[in-house]
Amino acid sequence: MSQTCGRQLLRLLEAYGVDTAFGIPGVHTIELYRALGESPIRHVTPRHEQGAGFMADGYARASGKPAACFIITGPGMTNIATAMGQALADSVPMLVISSVNRRDTLGRGQGRLHELPSQQQTLAGVSVFSHTLHDPAALPELLARAFATFHGARPGPVHIEIPIDLFDAPVPEHLPRPIEVFPPAPAPAAIARAAEWLRRAERPLLLLGGGCVAAPEAAHALVERLQAPTLTTINAKGVLGQDHPQDLGATASLPPARRLAAEADVILALGTELGETDYDLVFDEGFRLGGRLIRVDIDPQQLGRNQDADLALVADAGETLDALLQALPESRRDDGRATAVREALALAEDPELAPYVPLYATLRATLPEAILVGDSTGPVYAGNFLASLPAPRRWFNAATGYGTLGYGLPAALGAALACPERPVVALVGDGGLQFVIGELATARDLNQPVAVVIWNNQGHDEIRRYMAMHEVPRLGVDQTAPDFAGLASAYACRYRTAGNPASLGDALAHLGVEDSPLLIEVDATAWMAASQ
């Protein structure tokens, strides 16, 4: 059997540890699928290319490993662009392999099937890099660049497009050896200065971002060593374990946490972009740091954005945590600041959050080891403040970063494929689910017992409330929800209803009884009334 570019691609992906690909075949990817049929890589077919991207995103967030997406030319790529935008905003590794028209036709505007003026330029804005393969001999180099980005730099989507006349082009039989990439370690002089500042600090504060999720033990140890209040981003939830006394969660937008940040004399920010959707959810740019800022990021460009650093380290967060632990052998005493802020926050008593407290108590009691994957919907916004997870990679959603709708269900399917030993719950609204409702068929194809908890408030309630707050006429937000019981039957999924914590807990308890998706429709009005 001759070695073709398509076959070499699959063999290289196997060598780099890719075991799952999401995609919808088309006439432009037939030769790629010929090679895929000879490969052990698992293929999953979503109902829309956006679903493929969201599934790959959820797979990577749950496992820490990138998956591949195999996407056709033109509309396939514009369909997946939204999912790539979400992954780019949240630094999620994703390898998108697409077809593109023949090399001799590119850029000529001849009206070819799926033709764009420049598909590569169209996707460059939602990827770390986008590259057109012109010579099949360059494929190993391109994949080496992609995986060096995933493992040694700030990750995100990488797009490689292959002209349809190259998939069956001959290449040498020899398979180049994949490169092994280690992330950058912090400079010893910078660690010494950071340690000195932290040692002398009277009111230290830690800000932990998604860059820390691969090093939870070191993050936990440093927080214990410093006994410092810690704010985590949404993507860093669980990095300190459940209910850690210094963990104030993703509350940086709330007044007590903001006062804490403003009064801190030394702040250590690790693996966080200090962006709006984690630190300024009220959109008033009111998060301010008053003390010396030590900032650590794997991306040097990020070190100059959002907040001015006094000491900036281009380094991997985990490597930096380990180095700081060696440089700070002595433990500090707890000064009680975290406890005081937690009491001032009083999250469970906040009228906006209180109705959702029983929801997360029920999820925790019924499925304590679950991965919770959310869309942009009210319960998820509340959960970003309320949920406490036993480990990282158990909570992620689209209510951060790019902020798309339709993320929850397909990303939950990706997480379930990555971690089949854990229960997975998708938290979605009736409006957001309708963006990707066809992926219920994918869930059924996979025989995945994923719980899809649908918060049904007949439309886009978050926008309704925002309109009311700003005295905007209520237009375009009151949409009739479908008959979810009928949809569940049509897609051969299980179906339950819930209007209070007891009925939700009973429904969730049946999740693992059968290998099929479980739709749980929550009447939002009834739930809110029961929570009064």
Side-chain angles (χ1 to χ4, degrees):
M1 185 180 297
S2 62
Q3 179 81 318
T4 65
C5 182
R7 289 192 176 100
Q8 185 183 68
L9 169 64
L10 271 297
R11 289 180 63 195
L12 282 166
L13 292 180
E14 294 165 28
Y16 277 108
V18 174
D19 56 18
T20 303
F22 302 93
I24 302 174
V27 295
H28 280 183
T29 53
I30 287 295
E31 289 303 318
L32 174 58
Y33 276 78
R34 184 194 304 279
L36 183 60
E38 303 159 2
S39 168
I41 291 177
R42 168 178 54 185
H43 182 266
V44 177
T45 306
R47 295 309 188 263
H48 191 279
E49 287 89 0
Q50 186 179 95
F54 288 148
M55 289 176 195
D57 179 300
Y59 183 97
R61 296 202 206 209
S63 68
K65 294 172 46 181
C69 296
F70 295 155
I71 308 297
I72 63 161
T73 323
M77 289 309 302
T78 52
N79 282 346
I80 200 176
T82 295
M84 293 173 67
Q86 183 72 47
L88 182 66
D90 284 348
S91 304
V92 177
M94 178 190 301
L95 181 62
V96 181
I97 304 291
S98 80
S99 55
V100 71
N101 293 85
R102 291 195 330 255
R103 287 173 292 173
D104 63 334
T105 69
L106 293 180
R108 296 178 65 181
Q110 296 174 321
R112 301 276 177 175
L113 177 64
H114 301 331
E115 185 179 44
L116 284 168
S118 172
Q119 180 174 279
Q120 182 272 325
Q121 290 183 21
T122 299
L123 276 298
V126 288
S127 54
V128 176
F129 73 83
S130 173
H131 190 97
T132 306
L133 181 70
H134 291 285
D135 179 358
L139 180 61
E141 176 188 311
L142 277 177
L143 288 176
R145 283 179 59 195
F147 283 88
T149 298
F150 297 153
H151 299 307
R154 184 180 182 183
V158 168
H159 170 228
I160 299 172
E161 61 179 19
I162 301 177
I164 56 178
D165 56 315
L166 287 188
F167 279 118
D168 60 354
V171 297
E173 287 289 337
H174 171 69
L175 189 71
R177 179 171 52 85
I179 61 171
E180 186 175 8
V181 175
F182 290 88
I191 288 294
R193 187 182 303 176
E196 181 64 18
W197 289 4
L198 289 166
R199 189 179 298 113
R200 293 178 177 273
E202 295 182 0
R203 298 177 304 282
L205 172 68
L206 268 63
L207 307 177
L208 302 184
C212 299
V213 297
E217 295 86 0
H220 185 278
L222 185 64
V223 171
E224 289 286 302
R225 188 76 47 88
L226 293 175
Q227 286 296 305
T230 302
L231 294 169
T232 62
T233 65
I234 293 166
N235 287 328
K237 268 191 173 293
V239 75
L240 298 182
Q242 206 154 43
D243 302 328
H244 191 283
Q246 298 294 342
D247 187 1
L248 297 171
T251 61
S253 296
L254 302 180
R258 286 186 165 188
R259 287 193 294 271
L260 174 76
E263 294 168 0
D265 58 352
V266 177
I267 304 99
L268 173 63
L270 286 147
T272 170
E273 65 180 358
L274 295 171
E276 180 180 76
T277 54
D278 281 301
Y279 296 88
D280 187 28
L281 285 172
V282 291
F283 308 117
D284 67 356
E285 299 187 6
F287 183 80
R288 292 285 181 267
L289 299 173
R292 285 175 164 178
L293 174 59
I294 305 164
R295 193 160 182 192
V296 182
D297 204 284
I298 204 167
D299 179 3
Q301 297 185 64
Q302 196 60 45
L303 292 169
R305 295 172 178 149
N306 295 325
Q307 299 280 346
D308 294 330
D310 296 280
L311 176 60
L313 288 74
V314 181
D316 174 72
E319 295 279 349
T320 306
L321 285 163
D322 287 337
L324 284 172
L325 282 167
Q326 293 183 28
L328 293 165
E330 297 180 2
S331 297
R332 299 169 59 100
R333 294 181 61 183
D334 183 2
D335 59 13
R337 283 180 299 143
T339 299
V341 172
R342 187 175 297 105
E343 292 174 354
L345 286 167
L347 297 178
E349 300 165 19
D350 186 308
E352 294 290 322
L353 301 176
Y356 303 103
V357 171
L359 170 66
Y360 289 99
T362 301
L363 286 165
R364 180 168 174 170
T366 311
L367 299 173
E369 297 298 321
I371 298 172
L372 306 180
V373 185
D375 218 320
S376 292
T377 184
V380 174
Y381 295 133
N384 285 335
F385 294 113
L386 296 171
S388 180
L389 286 303
R393 305 193 187 281
R394 306 283 183 90
W395 174 270
F396 45 89
N397 57 70
T400 181
Y402 200 51
T404 185
L405 278 167
Y407 174 87
L409 171 59
L413 295 178
L417 289 168
C419 303
E421 73 283 2
R422 297 198 184 284
V424 176
V425 179
L427 300 169
V428 301
D430 60 291
L433 179 60
Q434 291 179 73
F435 279 51
V436 291
I437 207 161
E439 302 306 347
L440 290 173
T442 310
R444 193 62 188 87
D445 286 350
L446 296 171
N447 293 321
Q448 288 291 337
V450 172
V452 184
V453 178
I454 307 165
W455 189 259
N456 187 353
N457 50 32
Q458 297 289 326
H460 298 299
D461 190 56
E462 289 298 306
I463 309 304
R464 275 197 293 250
R465 296 192 298 111
Y466 204 73
M467 284 179 162
M469 185 189 310
H470 293 273
E471 299 180 344
V472 174
R474 186 162 152 169
L475 297 173
V477 291
D478 297 313
Q479 300 164 327
T480 302
D483 174 3
F484 287 113
L487 277 171
S489 176
Y491 284 114
C493 299
R494 294 174 287 161
Y495 174 81
R496 299 285 293 266
T497 60
N500 54 55
S503 56
L504 176 62
D506 181 63
L508 290 169
H510 289 82
L511 176 60
V513 173
E514 298 178 30
D515 289 334
S516 63
L518 172 62
L519 272 63
I520 304 173
E521 182 179 358
V522 178
D523 183 326
T525 302
W527 183 283
M528 300 300 272
S531 300
Q532 298 300 320

